[in-house]
Amino acid sequence: MSGHASTYEPTSRWGKWWDERLPIARMMHGSFVEFPTPRNLNYLWTFGGILMFCLVAQIVTGIVLAMHYQPSDVQAFNSIEHIRRDVNYGWMLRSMHAVGASMFFIAVFIHIFRGLYYGSYKAPREVLWILGVTILLVMMATAFLGYTLPWGQMSFWGVTVITNLFSALDTIYAGLGTGIVEWLWGGYAVSGVTLNRFFSLHYLLPFVLTGIVILHVWALHVAGQNNPTGLDLKEASESVPMHPYATSKDLVGLFAFLVVFGWFVFFLPDYLGHADNYIEANPLVTPPHIVPEWYFLPFYAILRAFTGSFLGIPLGSYAKLLGVLAMFGSILILAFAPWLDSSRVRSTKYRPLYRWFFWLFVFTCLALGYLGSKPAEGVYTTWAQIFTVLYFAHFLIVMPVVGLLETPNKLPRSISEAVLGEGGSASFAGATAAPEKR
Amino acid sequence: MTTHVEDENRRDFLVVAGNAFAAVGAASLIWPFVQQMNPDASAKALASVEVDLSPVKEGQAITAMWRGKPLFIRNRTKAEIEQAEKVQPDELPDPTARNGGISGDVPAIDSNRVKKGHENWLVLVGICTHLGCIPKGQAMNDARGDFGGWFCPCHGSHYDTSGRVRKGPAPRNLDVPPYAFISDNKIKIG
């Protein structure tokens, strides 16, 4: 979209006619065919394309499932069973959609950790990164609304717990939180009315998501892709056209991803779900142990870490509000990473000290995920509190301080040198004798 | 036709006033789209129910529905009442009574949570004030927590025999709904 002149030349009369009126083919050619891609991208960079696939797959399977699903409290639970048992290929389509949500999150988490490791959030990619955080938030909202629809016990109580988060605002202004919660529910408790509106919004949000993804890709194409060295592209020979080089690599990554996806769809369709969601919603019985889907567990652990006291500090009636603020804060703080990180070196590859903290942060997220799946009592709560502190410390202490203390390793002068060693630039340029023209 | 300076001022006023009027009109149209999501007439119509208490023996509890929420009605034993009356408000995380039948904040002593002359009957909205789960403690073999009342399995809040939060993340005591005894064995809630 920018930074390079388009070489697109329509050949047919039809192509020329269009190009003068709506140059959409020119735009696509510039953005996805000849777009200069760093030649040293590794497989972690294939997750952008994989995520694009996930979004399309969720929309396509979702639209066909909506043709058979009944969004009413009486019919919803049975209509899911109807889809699984009676609808032609319904068993497969439902699995693709339910497993697809999990796969979407696996891919997005890898994509985010990739960005954090290689410093993809740093200038000039701040807006690109913030759009990414927004995508994560909308994805989480969509997944949460979608999980309501099967109207099982976990659906019902998950909604109850999460919508009740807003009632924490009562601590700030009496009645404000309760008012918002009843407005979301359309009643005095979660009911079929709630299910109906959640279905409507679950259908809407993926298209909002698509819009933000377009902005995300646009911002990516303005700033250009980051790469494992974190260095800027200096000469044309350090990049290759997106097609066929990056696109074919993306396809290899996508196929490997699809093997895992298919394995779950066909052999373990319910493995990532919860057995209690095969019991129809009952407003009078809370399951003994409410857990969200696995991808929300780290955030759930942070929410529950705020009980009557936090590592010995009494919280009193503010416990609930603080838990809610910390949970949303744990996502929003990502958006500030570009300004919290004081290091001018992008890639963690050249940051010997920060590298340890990065892996500690990965471990912290995994530990929070584990703790989110455990009951909120005793030693689990204490550990959840410790890891919550570590989570926020990574952004608020490690990122600003380590950047100032650390002496980064010597950076290569260019991507060519990083790949081919000293003086690699010349031979590298020689090796790029445009293989497509050979 | 000639244009005067005064006319331009007049035109500015008309432009500002016209735009402001249109903006207020457009903004006011948002309200129906927001308000349609609030509890509707049919939800409000279920505002009051009557419950017969005669089958509930001492030490037993029943669960009724009111506005789509569960109501805990417990016929408390002498020991439970005594235990609840011993507690002073300053020992509690939430020192207010949360009684929908009493206007204003009154201290969370047991007598402010029940009806005078019917101290054995405790009527509560059975929804944990943390995140809305249904606490355990209604059935005889349920876990009742460390204070003999109710225990919320979701995030570990403990309530005592007056339905007051004693431990855990819940910020408030269980709500007492507005209700009245319409006979010795019958109450009307709402």
Side-chain angles (χ1 to χ4, degrees), chain A residues 31-283:
Chain A
S31 306
F32 301 105
V33 176
E34 69 183 35
F35 184 73
T37 308
R39 62 190 315 154
N40 59 333
L41 296 186
N42 61 31
Y43 273 104
L44 289 171
W45 262 266
T46 62
F47 280 89
I50 288 171
L51 285 163
M52 200 73 95
F53 168 84
C54 286
L55 178 60
V56 173
Q58 287 304 91
I59 290 178
V60 171
T61 51
I63 286 172
V64 295
L65 286 173
M67 294 179 185
H68 306 279
Y69 171 75
Q70 308 272 349
S72 87
D73 55 345
V74 183
Q75 289 290 321
F77 186 80
N78 289 333
S79 72
I80 299 287
E81 288 309 303
H82 163 72
I83 289 170
R84 298 196 79 178
R85 290 153 201 266
D86 302 339
V87 174
N88 302 325
Y89 289 101
W91 58 272
M92 187 177 84
L93 294 165
R94 194 216 67 110
S95 288
M96 285 164 86
H97 197 71
V99 170
S102 281
M103 293 297 135
F104 207 159
F105 276 97
I106 289 175
V108 89
F109 288 149
I110 294 173
H111 191 68
I112 292 168
F113 280 122
R114 200 265 352 253
L116 286 170
Y117 188 85
Y118 293 111
S120 303
Y121 49 88
K122 294 185 195 181
R125 299 188 180 83
E126 302 96 322
V127 171
L128 168 62
W129 174 257
I130 291 169
L131 285 166
V133 176
T134 315
I135 289 170
L136 175 66
L137 274 172
V138 177
M139 256 180 84
M140 292 176 85
T142 312
F144 163 71
L145 293 168
Y147 193 61
T148 315
L149 307 184
W151 209 236
Q153 275 289 67
M154 279 296 165
S155 299
F156 185 90
W157 291 101
V159 175
T160 303
V161 167
I162 301 300
T163 48
N164 260 307
L165 292 178
F166 290 97
S167 68
L169 296 173
D170 280 345
T171 322
I172 297 170
Y173 181 81
L176 173 68
T178 312
I180 292 175
V181 172
E182 285 176 1
W183 177 72
L184 288 171
W185 288 341
Y188 305 102
V190 175
S191 67
V193 176
T194 321
L195 174 63
N196 225 304
R197 60 187 57 183
F198 278 21
F199 175 66
S200 167
L201 295 173
H202 181 69
Y203 210 122
L204 164 72
L205 286 187
F207 299 101
V208 174
L209 205 50
T210 307
I212 310 172
V213 167
I214 289 171
L215 294 179
H216 188 66
V217 173
W218 185 1
L220 173 74
H221 284 222
V222 171
Q225 280 170 295
N226 190 22
N227 65 82
T229 66
L231 300 172
D232 291 324
L233 291 173
K234 287 206 176 112
E235 42 192 292
S237 68
E238 287 173 344
S239 68
V240 288
M242 184 166 173
H243 182 75
Y245 299 97
T247 46
S248 51
K249 189 161 187 160
D250 279 355
L251 277 181
V252 176
L254 177 63
F255 283 128
F257 182 79
L258 284 177
V259 171
V260 181
F261 197 136
W263 182 58
F264 274 104
V265 167
F266 294 111
F267 299 104
L268 295 167
D270 291 318
Y271 182 76
L272 296 164
H274 196 290
D276 274 8
N277 223 24
Y278 288 97
I279 303 168
E280 193 168 0
N282 180 351

Side-chain angles (χ1 to χ4, degrees), chain B residues 17-28:
Chain B
N19 284 340
F21 198 75
V24 170
S28 65

Side-chain angles (χ1 to χ4, degrees), chain A residues 183 188 197 286 300 320, chain B residues 34 37 69 129-130 134 155:
Chain A
W183 177 72
Y188 305 102
R197 60 187 57 183
T286 306
Y300 193 55
K320 180 165 148 183
Chain B
V34 173
M37 279 176 69
K69 302 176 188 186
T129 56
H130 181 226
I134 313 293
H155 307 97

Side-chain angles (χ1 to χ4, degrees), chain A residues 349-410:
Chain A
K349 220 171 158 179
Y350 306 107
R351 300 187 60 190
L353 185 56
Y354 182 75
R355 192 183 303 155
W356 291 100
F357 285 104
F358 174 82
W359 290 110
L360 175 66
F361 178 68
V362 173
F363 179 75
T364 301
C365 295
L366 294 174
L368 283 170
Y370 168 76
L371 292 164
S373 72
K374 293 287 156 192
E377 54 195 36
V379 70
Y380 293 126
T381 303
T382 312
W383 279 111
Q385 293 175 343
I386 291 168
F387 281 110
T388 299
V389 170
L390 286 177
Y391 183 96
F392 285 100
H394 182 80
F395 293 96
L396 298 174
I397 299 171
V398 172
M399 278 190 166
V401 175
V402 171
L404 297 176
L405 297 181
E406 164 186 71
T407 314
N409 294 347
K410 190 172 169 291

